[in-house]
Amino acid sequence: MAIDESTVLQQAAEFLEAGDGAMDALRMHEFEMDGDEHDDDAVDLLHQDFRKDFDAATRVLTAEYGDPSHSGTDDDESIPLTGIEVFNIWNTGNQGLFLAISHEDRGAPILLMLGCTE
């Protein structure tokens, strides 16, 4: 599933206008809880697919806001999520904008989140 680049930029602008704490999922996968959450190969494929969307959104946001000021592969205190697998943060004047993949636990939704940093 490819993300819509214009939607990414529109949401980023809206979140930056709304300020601290504004965020939403660009993409979400909820498990049916019928055992598919225990299929490690299928979950790995989902993570790879989410990473492709993360990379695409990163390219769009970098074109608009410049290179990320901070990136990582673990939870970050400025992002109000847990289970972060990868993130980027852009400084945009007085605020930060984050993009992150979060998967808190087996069976929990996989999220590609965009929002303002705290």
Side-chain angles (χ1 to χ4, degrees):
M1 173 182 164
I3 58 169
D4 182 327
E5 294 179 5
S6 62
T7 300
V8 171
L9 290 176
Q10 178 184 353
Q11 284 188 308
E14 289 172 7
F15 295 152
L16 288 170
E17 186 175 319
D20 190 25
M23 67 177 173
D24 199 6
L26 294 175
R27 181 174 175 201
M28 178 186 335
H29 176 84
E30 292 188 87
F31 291 92
E32 300 287 326
M33 302 308 282
D34 59 0
D36 62 339
E37 72 277 9
H38 294 286
D39 183 342
D40 291 338
D41 291 336
V43 171
D44 286 345
L45 287 174
L46 279 168
H47 283 256
Q48 290 172 22
D49 197 43
F50 268 76
R51 184 57 189 250
K52 289 176 187 174
D53 282 347
F54 175 88
D55 292 343
T58 293
R59 284 190 297 276
V60 170
L61 293 167
T62 297
E64 182 73 17
Y65 299 106
D67 289 332
S69 59
H70 187 64
S71 298
T73 57
D74 204 355
D75 289 349
D76 185 275
E77 65 184 34
S78 63
I79 300 174
L81 299 168
T82 57
I84 292 176
E85 298 186 357
V86 63
F87 72 88
N88 288 320
I89 297 175
W90 290 264
N91 286 332
T92 58
N94 295 334
Q95 299 184 76
L97 184 70
F98 75 84
L99 177 71
I101 296 175
S102 171
H103 189 196
E104 196 170 336
D105 199 4
R106 187 177 294 273
I110 302 172
L111 305 169
L112 176 58
M113 298 293 290
L114 177 67
C116 285
T117 58
E118 293 186 333

